[in-house]
């Protein structure tokens, strides 16, 4: 009768993280969260660290229902969708954020993730457009872009080669 949001009660042993996953936190484990949205977002980050993306997305969803403008949880949701290879959903969220938050503190990382999602989806032109935007704002990322295995499909593209040389 209490329900099971996000199917948290239906956990299986296969969903538990490996013991070698490492410490997900650089934060103080005794840190006190006053705002529930921050605490839930942090909890979602821990699930995402252990590659439990569906659970992380469910928690981020709770955060955005509580505070639709909670930018960190929306970006984390897009990242979790990307990591779980649901590139269309990640792109949808990231493109929507470009309209609602065109110049937030994490915009460079946001656009870089968007470029990666487009390339993984197979839309090389969309990926190239976002790479161009990232390199225009931060030319020092050329080596990062060039070395990224995600951008291998662009290696033969003359526009890409011109951007990263």
């Amino acid at each position: 009768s209490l329900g099971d949001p996000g199917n948290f009660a239906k956990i299986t042993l296969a969903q538990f993280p490996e013991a070698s996953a490492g410490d997900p936190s650089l934060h103080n484990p005794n840190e006190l969260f006053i705002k529930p949205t921050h605490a839930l977002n942090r909890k979602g980050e821990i699930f995402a660290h252990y590659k439990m993306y569906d659970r992380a997305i469910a928690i981020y969803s709770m955060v955005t229902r509580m505070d639709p403008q909670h930018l960190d949880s929306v970006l984390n949701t897009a990242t979790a969708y990307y990591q779980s290879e649901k590139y269309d959903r990640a792109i949808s969220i990231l493109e929507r954020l470009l309209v609602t938050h065109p110049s937030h503190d994490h915009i460079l990382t946001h656009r870089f993730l968007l470029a990666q999602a487009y390339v993984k989806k197979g839309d090389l032109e969309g990926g190239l457009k976002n790479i161009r935007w990232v390199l225009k704002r931060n030319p020092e990322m050329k080596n990062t872009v060039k070395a990224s295995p995600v951008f291998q499909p662009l290696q033969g593209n003359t526009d890409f080669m011109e951007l990263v040389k």
Side-chain angles (χ1 to χ4, degrees):
S1 66
L2 295 176
D4 186 15
N7 295 321
F8 291 136
K10 295 178 182 154
I11 192 166
T12 65
L13 291 176
Q15 291 178 298
F16 281 109
E18 296 177 17
S20 64
D23 182 15
S25 176
L26 297 176
H27 300 284
N28 179 0
N30 297 321
E31 184 176 2
L32 178 64
F33 291 98
I34 302 301
K35 294 183 101 181
T37 52
H38 295 313
L40 284 170
N41 185 60
R42 182 70 185 121
K43 188 175 185 176
E45 289 171 350
I46 292 169
F47 278 118
H49 171 79
Y50 287 112
K51 298 179 178 27
M52 299 170 79
Y53 300 117
D54 291 336
R55 292 178 180 281
I57 290 167
I59 290 173
Y60 298 141
S61 174
M62 284 190 261
V63 174
T64 55
R65 281 188 298 230
M66 294 167 73
D67 180 6
Q69 298 300 315
H70 196 274
L71 182 64
D72 289 341
S73 67
V74 177
L75 288 170
N76 286 339
T77 302
T79 303
Y81 277 126
Y82 174 83
Q83 294 296 334
S84 59
E85 299 179 2
K86 296 175 182 168
Y87 305 118
D88 288 335
R89 289 183 179 178
I91 290 168
S92 175
I93 291 168
L94 293 169
E95 287 288 355
R96 205 170 342 131
L97 272 178
L98 287 178
V99 174
T100 59
H101 295 84
S103 59
H104 58 84
D105 291 341
H106 309 291
I107 192 70
L108 203 60
T109 308
H110 173 165
R111 292 298 283 255
F112 189 75
L113 179 63
L114 187 57
Q116 289 178 313
Y118 271 120
V119 171
K120 284 285 198 174
K121 180 185 167 209
D123 182 353
L124 302 183
E125 191 56 42
L128 196 56
K129 174 185 149 196
N130 285 287
I131 291 170
R132 195 175 288 119
W133 190 95
V134 167
L135 294 178
K136 184 177 181 184
R137 269 58 173 190
N138 188 357
E140 287 118 28
M141 288 190 67
K142 282 183 184 180
N143 290 334
T144 304
V145 171
K146 188 189 292 187
S148 175
V150 173
F151 299 126
Q152 286 296 331
L154 291 170
Q155 291 298 330
N157 186 306
T158 55
D159 289 339
F160 178 76
M161 297 309 289
E162 186 66 31
L163 283 172
V164 296
K165 75 173 183 178

